Amino acid sequence: MALKIVVGAQWGDEGKGRIVDWFAAQAEVVARYNGGDNAGHSVTVGAKLFKLHLIPSGIVHPAPIAILGNGMVINPESLFSEMESLEKVGVKVGPQRLRISHAAHLITPVHKALDKAMEIARGKDSIGTTGRGIGPAYTDKAARTNLRVADMIAPDFIEKLSAHIMAGNRSLAALDAPQLEIEPILAIFAAYAERILPFVADTAAEMDAALKAEKTVLAEGAQGTLLDIDHGTYPFVTSSSTLAPAALLGLGLGLNAARGAVVSGVCKSFQTRVGSGPFPTEIEDDLALRLRGTGENPWDEYGTTTGRPRRVGWLDGVLLRYAARLNGFTELVITKLDILSGLPYIKVCTAYTKDGKTYTDLPFGPTDLEGYEAVYEQLPGWTEDVSAIRRWDDLPQAARDYLDAVAKIAGVPVRLVSVGPEREQIVEAK
Ligand code: IMP
């Protein structure tokens, strides 16, 4: 058994795509288990920048089979457009390589329209969703009314889709949102149904067979721990389970698949967040501009899916420890260390205070972060550019001290550090 699960330790955007790309060099199967095209994973290989939303980032390597698991919500329009973009840059995505669970749920234009209309209706309390229809699709899944990939290849698909759009139009009317025209959607989805057929598989059985054959399987989490529907900063979360244990359910694996699994927690060397919700270590001064970047580079802190500027702040050690506990991290991967170079000092939040009391753990998880103030440990910065460094011992002492401090706070050893966006800009810990 060789299951490795890569999970974001923060609010998403930790740089999981490039880390999955690093691990995928050894993988035989790469799989997504949650979410949909709300994710934005970037992989830079030489002059090529691959932006993936639905398909596992590991597909960029020629060998692994890519799986879209049953825990996902799939918008066929995004799926085919992503497949076409990948094919254009030479990545093969035929049915031999890409397998889509028959039990994954669909995202339709109804879900996208409802996502938008519901955000407008929430007004100042909006969640700041990506607008991809994720919430409404998972809502329909839980209500047991949604369409699944298997429905697309059944003879009554068009009838079911038509009923789904009519129901959606009733919900849209209740929100004073424009109605959707039914016929054009039916025509487009009839064509999608024909295209998707060769890719549909019982991916749970394929995953099981791969693990039994001792293949190396990489499960790629989307979003991050703090966006998890149960354990994140509810209600400012996504609608799926993002945590490592969800990889089992979202891929249809039994508990024994977890025996000996490696769980890699990917954590940016500072904190970022897109969308609304509490953020105790947020900073808004010149330093914030420095950490965010100008947006000229693809790795600057602007959403891959929406282009929105991300909120930035110091690394939150309290939330990192929480993430380590919930996911069962066996190793940490720290990304974007190069961005900290040149800062006179670096702060890490080690506790919170509220009403005169100090908390190193939150009494009720991160749902109620309002009113908690961050307590920081301040560490010295370093001036050296670390982007060309490939050996742990060559990192500046202050950088190694910072990484050691993060590992100690999390209670998990650091395994890898990224020092730039390129595939090779990785330092392995000793
Ligand atoms: P939704 O997943 O589109 O419903 O958005 C819910 C919340 O999760 C919003 O705050 C989004 O900005 C955030 N979110 C969703 N996907 C990602 C992601 O891949 N990276 C970072 N934030 C995300």
Side-chain angles (χ1 to χ4, degrees), residues 94-128:
Q96 303 307 319
R97 282 206 77 195
L98 183 69
R99 319 287 291 148
I100 302 173
S101 169
H102 66 286
H105 280 251
L106 293 185
I107 294 184
T108 68
V110 166
H111 297 131
K112 280 185 80 168
L114 279 172
D115 196 356
K116 242 186 237 157
M118 288 164 85
E119 277 288 83
I120 292 169
R122 286 184 194 111
K124 66 171 180 39
D125 297 323
S126 74
I127 292 165

PDB file of all heavy atoms in Angstrom, residues 94-128:
ATOM      1  N   GLY A  94      -6.520  11.371 -22.851  1.00  0.00           N
ATOM      2  CA  GLY A  94      -7.506  10.434 -23.417  1.00  0.00           C
ATOM      3  C   GLY A  94      -8.078   9.533 -22.339  1.00  0.00           C
ATOM      4  O   GLY A  94      -7.619   9.546 -21.191  1.00  0.00           O
ATOM      5  N   PRO A  95      -9.085   8.708 -22.703  1.00  0.00           N
ATOM      6  CA  PRO A  95      -9.745   7.838 -21.718  1.00  0.00           C
ATOM      7  C   PRO A  95      -8.828   6.787 -21.106  1.00  0.00           C
ATOM      8  O   PRO A  95      -9.154   6.207 -20.066  1.00  0.00           O
ATOM      9  CB  PRO A  95     -10.862   7.165 -22.517  1.00  0.00           C
ATOM     10  CG  PRO A  95     -10.785   7.673 -23.894  1.00  0.00           C
ATOM     11  CD  PRO A  95      -9.691   8.662 -24.027  1.00  0.00           C
ATOM     12  N   GLN A  96      -7.694   6.512 -21.721  1.00  0.00           N
ATOM     13  CA  GLN A  96      -6.750   5.569 -21.094  1.00  0.00           C
ATOM     14  C   GLN A  96      -6.123   6.182 -19.848  1.00  0.00           C
ATOM     15  O   GLN A  96      -5.694   5.479 -18.939  1.00  0.00           O
ATOM     16  CB  GLN A  96      -5.577   5.230 -22.060  1.00  0.00           C
ATOM     17  CG  GLN A  96      -5.993   4.666 -23.389  1.00  0.00           C
ATOM     18  CD  GLN A  96      -6.904   3.470 -23.213  1.00  0.00           C
ATOM     19  OE1 GLN A  96      -6.674   2.633 -22.346  1.00  0.00           O
ATOM     20  NE2 GLN A  96      -7.962   3.410 -24.010  1.00  0.00           N
ATOM     21  N   ARG A  97      -6.049   7.526 -19.824  1.00  0.00           N
ATOM     22  CA  ARG A  97      -5.340   8.217 -18.745  1.00  0.00           C
ATOM     23  C   ARG A  97      -6.259   8.898 -17.765  1.00  0.00           C
ATOM     24  O   ARG A  97      -5.863   9.177 -16.638  1.00  0.00           O
ATOM     25  CB  ARG A  97      -4.476   9.349 -19.347  1.00  0.00           C
ATOM     26  CG  ARG A  97      -3.237   8.946 -19.975  1.00  0.00           C
ATOM     27  CD  ARG A  97      -2.278  10.106 -19.923  1.00  0.00           C
ATOM     28  NE  ARG A  97      -1.677  10.277 -18.622  1.00  0.00           N
ATOM     29  CZ  ARG A  97      -1.027  11.373 -18.242  1.00  0.00           C
ATOM     30  NH1 ARG A  97      -0.915  12.383 -19.071  1.00  0.00           N
ATOM     31  NH2 ARG A  97      -0.488  11.452 -17.053  1.00  0.00           N
ATOM     32  N   LEU A  98      -7.427   9.295 -18.232  1.00  0.00           N
ATOM     33  CA  LEU A  98      -8.314  10.065 -17.368  1.00  0.00           C
ATOM     34  C   LEU A  98      -9.569   9.249 -17.097  1.00  0.00           C
ATOM     35  O   LEU A  98     -10.270   8.838 -18.026  1.00  0.00           O
ATOM     36  CB  LEU A  98      -8.685  11.389 -18.048  1.00  0.00           C
ATOM     37  CG  LEU A  98      -9.548  12.321 -17.205  1.00  0.00           C
ATOM     38  CD1 LEU A  98      -8.743  12.870 -16.028  1.00  0.00           C
ATOM     39  CD2 LEU A  98     -10.062  13.487 -18.044  1.00  0.00           C
ATOM     40  N   ARG A  99      -9.850   8.992 -15.825  1.00  0.00           N
ATOM     41  CA  ARG A  99     -10.977   8.145 -15.446  1.00  0.00           C
ATOM     42  C   ARG A  99     -11.888   8.973 -14.535  1.00  0.00           C
ATOM     43  O   ARG A  99     -11.433   9.585 -13.569  1.00  0.00           O
ATOM     44  CB  ARG A  99     -10.471   6.908 -14.693  1.00  0.00           C
ATOM     45  CG  ARG A  99      -9.210   6.304 -15.281  1.00  0.00           C
ATOM     46  CD  ARG A  99      -9.430   5.585 -16.574  1.00  0.00           C
ATOM     47  NE  ARG A  99     -10.173   4.376 -16.415  1.00  0.00           N
ATOM     48  CZ  ARG A  99     -11.003   3.904 -17.362  1.00  0.00           C
ATOM     49  NH1 ARG A  99     -11.173   4.562 -18.491  1.00  0.00           N
ATOM     50  NH2 ARG A  99     -11.640   2.770 -17.167  1.00  0.00           N
ATOM     51  N   ILE A 100     -13.166   8.973 -14.864  1.00  0.00           N
ATOM     52  CA  ILE A 100     -14.105   9.820 -14.124  1.00  0.00           C
ATOM     53  C   ILE A 100     -15.128   8.936 -13.422  1.00  0.00           C
ATOM     54  O   ILE A 100     -15.771   8.086 -14.052  1.00  0.00           O
ATOM     55  CB  ILE A 100     -14.817  10.797 -15.087  1.00  0.00           C
ATOM     56  CG1 ILE A 100     -13.765  11.661 -15.809  1.00  0.00           C
ATOM     57  CG2 ILE A 100     -15.812  11.671 -14.335  1.00  0.00           C
ATOM     58  CD1 ILE A 100     -14.328  12.550 -16.895  1.00  0.00           C
ATOM     59  N   SER A 101     -15.280   9.149 -12.129  1.00  0.00           N
ATOM     60  CA  SER A 101     -16.201   8.300 -11.358  1.00  0.00           C
ATOM     61  C   SER A 101     -17.633   8.464 -11.844  1.00  0.00           C
ATOM     62  O   SER A 101     -18.122   9.592 -11.993  1.00  0.00           O
ATOM     63  CB  SER A 101     -16.136   8.666  -9.877  1.00  0.00           C
ATOM     64  OG  SER A 101     -17.194   8.016  -9.201  1.00  0.00           O
ATOM     65  N   HIS A 102     -18.305   7.330 -12.005  1.00  0.00           N
ATOM     66  CA  HIS A 102     -19.730   7.369 -12.370  1.00  0.00           C
ATOM     67  C   HIS A 102     -20.542   8.010 -11.256  1.00  0.00           C
ATOM     68  O   HIS A 102     -21.620   8.528 -11.487  1.00  0.00           O
ATOM     69  CB  HIS A 102     -20.244   5.936 -12.636  1.00  0.00           C
ATOM     70  CG  HIS A 102     -20.241   5.081 -11.402  1.00  0.00           C
ATOM     71  ND1 HIS A 102     -19.078   4.567 -10.851  1.00  0.00           N
ATOM     72  CD2 HIS A 102     -21.242   4.691 -10.580  1.00  0.00           C
ATOM     73  CE1 HIS A 102     -19.379   3.880  -9.763  1.00  0.00           C
ATOM     74  NE2 HIS A 102     -20.674   3.935  -9.575  1.00  0.00           N
ATOM     75  N   ALA A 103     -19.998   7.991 -10.024  1.00  0.00           N
ATOM     76  CA  ALA A 103     -20.758   8.493  -8.875  1.00  0.00           C
ATOM     77  C   ALA A 103     -20.443   9.956  -8.543  1.00  0.00           C
ATOM     78  O   ALA A 103     -20.987  10.506  -7.576  1.00  0.00           O
ATOM     79  CB  ALA A 103     -20.484   7.607  -7.660  1.00  0.00           C
ATOM     80  N   ALA A 104     -19.558  10.589  -9.324  1.00  0.00           N
ATOM     81  CA  ALA A 104     -19.293  12.019  -9.085  1.00  0.00           C
ATOM     82  C   ALA A 104     -20.533  12.806  -9.491  1.00  0.00           C
ATOM     83  O   ALA A 104     -21.301  12.377 -10.362  1.00  0.00           O
ATOM     84  CB  ALA A 104     -18.088  12.469  -9.897  1.00  0.00           C
ATOM     85  N   HIS A 105     -20.734  13.952  -8.854  1.00  0.00           N
ATOM     86  CA  HIS A 105     -21.926  14.756  -9.150  1.00  0.00           C
ATOM     87  C   HIS A 105     -21.637  15.819 -10.205  1.00  0.00           C
ATOM     88  O   HIS A 105     -20.489  16.227 -10.397  1.00  0.00           O
ATOM     89  CB  HIS A 105     -22.444  15.386  -7.854  1.00  0.00           C
ATOM     90  CG  HIS A 105     -23.255  14.414  -7.046  1.00  0.00           C
ATOM     91  ND1 HIS A 105     -24.612  14.518  -6.902  1.00  0.00           N
ATOM     92  CD2 HIS A 105     -22.882  13.280  -6.399  1.00  0.00           C
ATOM     93  CE1 HIS A 105     -25.051  13.504  -6.174  1.00  0.00           C
ATOM     94  NE2 HIS A 105     -24.021  12.736  -5.857  1.00  0.00           N
ATOM     95  N   LEU A 106     -22.711  16.261 -10.863  1.00  0.00           N
ATOM     96  CA  LEU A 106     -22.553  17.255 -11.932  1.00  0.00           C
ATOM     97  C   LEU A 106     -22.800  18.664 -11.418  1.00  0.00           C
ATOM     98  O   LEU A 106     -23.616  18.873 -10.523  1.00  0.00           O
ATOM     99  CB  LEU A 106     -23.558  16.989 -13.054  1.00  0.00           C
ATOM    100  CG  LEU A 106     -23.381  15.713 -13.869  1.00  0.00           C
ATOM    101  CD1 LEU A 106     -24.408  15.699 -15.006  1.00  0.00           C
ATOM    102  CD2 LEU A 106     -21.966  15.614 -14.444  1.00  0.00           C
ATOM    103  N   ILE A 107     -22.089  19.596 -12.030  1.00  0.00           N
ATOM    104  CA  ILE A 107     -22.433  21.015 -11.879  1.00  0.00           C
ATOM    105  C   ILE A 107     -23.030  21.448 -13.210  1.00  0.00           C
ATOM    106  O   ILE A 107     -22.445  21.214 -14.272  1.00  0.00           O
ATOM    107  CB  ILE A 107     -21.191  21.874 -11.561  1.00  0.00           C
ATOM    108  CG1 ILE A 107     -20.635  21.502 -10.195  1.00  0.00           C
ATOM    109  CG2 ILE A 107     -21.545  23.358 -11.606  1.00  0.00           C
ATOM    110  CD1 ILE A 107     -19.459  22.360  -9.743  1.00  0.00           C
ATOM    111  N   THR A 108     -24.206  22.043 -13.150  1.00  0.00           N
ATOM    112  CA  THR A 108     -24.900  22.479 -14.369  1.00  0.00           C
ATOM    113  C   THR A 108     -25.008  24.013 -14.359  1.00  0.00           C
ATOM    114  O   THR A 108     -24.730  24.647 -13.321  1.00  0.00           O
ATOM    115  CB  THR A 108     -26.323  21.899 -14.408  1.00  0.00           C
ATOM    116  OG1 THR A 108     -27.069  22.531 -13.345  1.00  0.00           O
ATOM    117  CG2 THR A 108     -26.327  20.390 -14.221  1.00  0.00           C
ATOM    118  N   PRO A 109     -25.469  24.604 -15.451  1.00  0.00           N
ATOM    119  CA  PRO A 109     -25.674  26.068 -15.454  1.00  0.00           C
ATOM    120  C   PRO A 109     -26.650  26.525 -14.363  1.00  0.00           C
ATOM    121  O   PRO A 109     -26.574  27.644 -13.881  1.00  0.00           O
ATOM    122  CB  PRO A 109     -26.239  26.333 -16.855  1.00  0.00           C
ATOM    123  CG  PRO A 109     -25.686  25.219 -17.694  1.00  0.00           C
ATOM    124  CD  PRO A 109     -25.644  24.023 -16.794  1.00  0.00           C
ATOM    125  N   VAL A 110     -27.543  25.620 -13.951  1.00  0.00           N
ATOM    126  CA  VAL A 110     -28.468  25.958 -12.850  1.00  0.00           C
ATOM    127  C   VAL A 110     -27.664  26.265 -11.584  1.00  0.00           C
ATOM    128  O   VAL A 110     -27.907  27.254 -10.887  1.00  0.00           O
ATOM    129  CB  VAL A 110     -29.443  24.775 -12.578  1.00  0.00           C
ATOM    130  CG1 VAL A 110     -30.163  24.941 -11.252  1.00  0.00           C
ATOM    131  CG2 VAL A 110     -30.425  24.605 -13.721  1.00  0.00           C
ATOM    132  N   HIS A 111     -26.701  25.397 -11.289  1.00  0.00           N
ATOM    133  CA  HIS A 111     -25.918  25.576 -10.059  1.00  0.00           C
ATOM    134  C   HIS A 111     -25.105  26.873 -10.102  1.00  0.00           C
ATOM    135  O   HIS A 111     -25.002  27.585  -9.111  1.00  0.00           O
ATOM    136  CB  HIS A 111     -24.989  24.370  -9.842  1.00  0.00           C
ATOM    137  CG  HIS A 111     -25.730  23.093  -9.641  1.00  0.00           C
ATOM    138  ND1 HIS A 111     -25.439  21.941 -10.331  1.00  0.00           N
ATOM    139  CD2 HIS A 111     -26.785  22.788  -8.836  1.00  0.00           C
ATOM    140  CE1 HIS A 111     -26.264  20.975  -9.945  1.00  0.00           C
ATOM    141  NE2 HIS A 111     -27.094  21.476  -9.050  1.00  0.00           N
ATOM    142  N   LYS A 112     -24.554  27.173 -11.271  1.00  0.00           N
ATOM    143  CA  LYS A 112     -23.764  28.410 -11.382  1.00  0.00           C
ATOM    144  C   LYS A 112     -24.660  29.630 -11.190  1.00  0.00           C
ATOM    145  O   LYS A 112     -24.298  30.585 -10.492  1.00  0.00           O
ATOM    146  CB  LYS A 112     -23.056  28.482 -12.740  1.00  0.00           C
ATOM    147  CG  LYS A 112     -21.784  27.645 -12.771  1.00  0.00           C
ATOM    148  CD  LYS A 112     -21.021  27.807 -14.054  1.00  0.00           C
ATOM    149  CE  LYS A 112     -20.201  29.081 -14.075  1.00  0.00           C
ATOM    150  NZ  LYS A 112     -19.245  29.102 -15.195  1.00  0.00           N
ATOM    151  N   ALA A 113     -25.828  29.598 -11.830  1.00  0.00           N
ATOM    152  CA  ALA A 113     -26.744  30.739 -11.719  1.00  0.00           C
ATOM    153  C   ALA A 113     -27.222  30.903 -10.277  1.00  0.00           C
ATOM    154  O   ALA A 113     -27.314  32.021  -9.747  1.00  0.00           O
ATOM    155  CB  ALA A 113     -27.932  30.551 -12.660  1.00  0.00           C
ATOM    156  N   LEU A 114     -27.493  29.772  -9.615  1.00  0.00           N
ATOM    157  CA  LEU A 114     -27.955  29.840  -8.217  1.00  0.00           C
ATOM    158  C   LEU A 114     -26.845  30.354  -7.293  1.00  0.00           C
ATOM    159  O   LEU A 114     -27.109  31.118  -6.368  1.00  0.00           O
ATOM    160  CB  LEU A 114     -28.414  28.456  -7.740  1.00  0.00           C
ATOM    161  CG  LEU A 114     -29.821  28.038  -8.147  1.00  0.00           C
ATOM    162  CD1 LEU A 114     -30.067  26.576  -7.789  1.00  0.00           C
ATOM    163  CD2 LEU A 114     -30.882  28.929  -7.477  1.00  0.00           C
ATOM    164  N   ASP A 115     -25.615  29.921  -7.553  1.00  0.00           N
ATOM    165  CA  ASP A 115     -24.475  30.370  -6.741  1.00  0.00           C
ATOM    166  C   ASP A 115     -24.423  31.901  -6.770  1.00  0.00           C
ATOM    167  O   ASP A 115     -24.339  32.571  -5.727  1.00  0.00           O
ATOM    168  CB  ASP A 115     -23.179  29.764  -7.334  1.00  0.00           C
ATOM    169  CG  ASP A 115     -21.991  29.831  -6.370  1.00  0.00           C
ATOM    170  OD1 ASP A 115     -22.133  30.396  -5.279  1.00  0.00           O
ATOM    171  OD2 ASP A 115     -20.908  29.313  -6.736  1.00  0.00           O
ATOM    172  N   LYS A 116     -24.524  32.456  -7.983  1.00  0.00           N
ATOM    173  CA  LYS A 116     -24.469  33.910  -8.146  1.00  0.00           C
ATOM    174  C   LYS A 116     -25.648  34.591  -7.449  1.00  0.00           C
ATOM    175  O   LYS A 116     -25.469  35.538  -6.693  1.00  0.00           O
ATOM    176  CB  LYS A 116     -24.530  34.242  -9.644  1.00  0.00           C
ATOM    177  CG  LYS A 116     -23.285  34.957 -10.122  1.00  0.00           C
ATOM    178  CD  LYS A 116     -23.424  35.397 -11.541  1.00  0.00           C
ATOM    179  CE  LYS A 116     -22.276  34.803 -12.352  1.00  0.00           C
ATOM    180  NZ  LYS A 116     -22.533  34.679 -13.751  1.00  0.00           N
ATOM    181  N   ALA A 117     -26.850  34.064  -7.716  1.00  0.00           N
ATOM    182  CA  ALA A 117     -28.057  34.691  -7.168  1.00  0.00           C
ATOM    183  C   ALA A 117     -28.057  34.633  -5.636  1.00  0.00           C
ATOM    184  O   ALA A 117     -28.455  35.581  -4.963  1.00  0.00           O
ATOM    185  CB  ALA A 117     -29.295  33.995  -7.722  1.00  0.00           C
ATOM    186  N   MET A 118     -27.563  33.529  -5.077  1.00  0.00           N
ATOM    187  CA  MET A 118     -27.558  33.397  -3.613  1.00  0.00           C
ATOM    188  C   MET A 118     -26.532  34.340  -2.989  1.00  0.00           C
ATOM    189  O   MET A 118     -26.779  34.900  -1.918  1.00  0.00           O
ATOM    190  CB  MET A 118     -27.265  31.941  -3.215  1.00  0.00           C
ATOM    191  CG  MET A 118     -28.452  31.032  -3.504  1.00  0.00           C
ATOM    192  SD  MET A 118     -28.018  29.297  -3.497  1.00  0.00           S
ATOM    193  CE  MET A 118     -28.155  28.953  -1.783  1.00  0.00           C
ATOM    194  N   GLU A 119     -25.410  34.524  -3.665  1.00  0.00           N
ATOM    195  CA  GLU A 119     -24.409  35.461  -3.158  1.00  0.00           C
ATOM    196  C   GLU A 119     -24.982  36.877  -3.146  1.00  0.00           C
ATOM    197  O   GLU A 119     -24.799  37.621  -2.177  1.00  0.00           O
ATOM    198  CB  GLU A 119     -23.135  35.416  -4.020  1.00  0.00           C
ATOM    199  CG  GLU A 119     -22.181  34.283  -3.653  1.00  0.00           C
ATOM    200  CD  GLU A 119     -21.463  34.504  -2.340  1.00  0.00           C
ATOM    201  OE1 GLU A 119     -22.058  34.190  -1.288  1.00  0.00           O
ATOM    202  OE2 GLU A 119     -20.303  34.961  -2.346  1.00  0.00           O
ATOM    203  N   ILE A 120     -25.710  37.230  -4.216  1.00  0.00           N
ATOM    204  CA  ILE A 120     -26.311  38.570  -4.274  1.00  0.00           C
ATOM    205  C   ILE A 120     -27.327  38.708  -3.136  1.00  0.00           C
ATOM    206  O   ILE A 120     -27.357  39.703  -2.420  1.00  0.00           O
ATOM    207  CB  ILE A 120     -26.968  38.823  -5.657  1.00  0.00           C
ATOM    208  CG1 ILE A 120     -25.873  38.913  -6.727  1.00  0.00           C
ATOM    209  CG2 ILE A 120     -27.838  40.083  -5.651  1.00  0.00           C
ATOM    210  CD1 ILE A 120     -26.361  38.907  -8.165  1.00  0.00           C
ATOM    211  N   ALA A 121     -28.108  37.655  -2.941  1.00  0.00           N
ATOM    212  CA  ALA A 121     -29.128  37.705  -1.888  1.00  0.00           C
ATOM    213  C   ALA A 121     -28.501  37.824  -0.492  1.00  0.00           C
ATOM    214  O   ALA A 121     -29.095  38.416   0.407  1.00  0.00           O
ATOM    215  CB  ALA A 121     -30.005  36.460  -1.960  1.00  0.00           C
ATOM    216  N   ARG A 122     -27.305  37.282  -0.316  1.00  0.00           N
ATOM    217  CA  ARG A 122     -26.660  37.360   1.011  1.00  0.00           C
ATOM    218  C   ARG A 122     -26.178  38.777   1.319  1.00  0.00           C
ATOM    219  O   ARG A 122     -25.913  39.103   2.470  1.00  0.00           O
ATOM    220  CB  ARG A 122     -25.460  36.410   1.083  1.00  0.00           C
ATOM    221  CG  ARG A 122     -25.845  34.960   1.197  1.00  0.00           C
ATOM    222  CD  ARG A 122     -24.617  34.067   1.363  1.00  0.00           C
ATOM    223  NE  ARG A 122     -24.983  32.690   1.137  1.00  0.00           N
ATOM    224  CZ  ARG A 122     -24.595  31.947   0.092  1.00  0.00           C
ATOM    225  NH1 ARG A 122     -23.777  32.450  -0.817  1.00  0.00           N
ATOM    226  NH2 ARG A 122     -25.008  30.714  -0.051  1.00  0.00           N
ATOM    227  N   GLY A 123     -26.013  39.594   0.282  1.00  0.00           N
ATOM    228  CA  GLY A 123     -25.607  40.994   0.475  1.00  0.00           C
ATOM    229  C   GLY A 123     -24.295  41.105   1.209  1.00  0.00           C
ATOM    230  O   GLY A 123     -23.325  40.436   0.865  1.00  0.00           O
ATOM    231  N   LYS A 124     -24.285  41.888   2.294  1.00  0.00           N
ATOM    232  CA  LYS A 124     -23.026  42.118   3.017  1.00  0.00           C
ATOM    233  C   LYS A 124     -22.523  40.852   3.709  1.00  0.00           C
ATOM    234  O   LYS A 124     -21.376  40.782   4.133  1.00  0.00           O
ATOM    235  CB  LYS A 124     -23.166  43.281   4.011  1.00  0.00           C
ATOM    236  CG  LYS A 124     -24.137  42.996   5.143  1.00  0.00           C
ATOM    237  CD  LYS A 124     -24.077  44.063   6.210  1.00  0.00           C
ATOM    238  CE  LYS A 124     -25.020  43.815   7.364  1.00  0.00           C
ATOM    239  NZ  LYS A 124     -25.202  42.465   7.857  1.00  0.00           N
ATOM    240  N   ASP A 125     -23.367  39.858   3.837  1.00  0.00           N
ATOM    241  CA  ASP A 125     -22.945  38.593   4.462  1.00  0.00           C
ATOM    242  C   ASP A 125     -22.496  37.559   3.435  1.00  0.00           C
ATOM    243  O   ASP A 125     -22.427  36.359   3.727  1.00  0.00           O
ATOM    244  CB  ASP A 125     -24.091  37.994   5.283  1.00  0.00           C
ATOM    245  CG  ASP A 125     -24.470  38.904   6.433  1.00  0.00           C
ATOM    246  OD1 ASP A 125     -23.548  39.515   7.004  1.00  0.00           O
ATOM    247  OD2 ASP A 125     -25.672  39.022   6.743  1.00  0.00           O
ATOM    248  N   SER A 126     -22.192  38.023   2.214  1.00  0.00           N
ATOM    249  CA  SER A 126     -21.829  37.056   1.168  1.00  0.00           C
ATOM    250  C   SER A 126     -20.565  36.284   1.566  1.00  0.00           C
ATOM    251  O   SER A 126     -19.724  36.795   2.321  1.00  0.00           O
ATOM    252  CB  SER A 126     -21.611  37.773  -0.168  1.00  0.00           C
ATOM    253  OG  SER A 126     -20.394  38.464  -0.118  1.00  0.00           O
ATOM    254  N   ILE A 127     -20.456  35.067   1.046  1.00  0.00           N
ATOM    255  CA  ILE A 127     -19.326  34.185   1.392  1.00  0.00           C
ATOM    256  C   ILE A 127     -18.108  34.520   0.547  1.00  0.00           C
ATOM    257  O   ILE A 127     -16.976  34.280   0.942  1.00  0.00           O
ATOM    258  CB  ILE A 127     -19.759  32.710   1.186  1.00  0.00           C
ATOM    259  CG1 ILE A 127     -20.826  32.351   2.225  1.00  0.00           C
ATOM    260  CG2 ILE A 127     -18.581  31.738   1.293  1.00  0.00           C
ATOM    261  CD1 ILE A 127     -21.585  31.092   1.918  1.00  0.00           C
ATOM    262  N   GLY A 128     -18.357  35.117  -0.621  1.00  0.00           N
ATOM    263  CA  GLY A 128     -17.230  35.364  -1.539  1.00  0.00           C
ATOM    264  C   GLY A 128     -16.875  34.080  -2.263  1.00  0.00           C
ATOM    265  O   GLY A 128     -15.698  33.737  -2.394  1.00  0.00           O
TER     266      GLY A 128
END
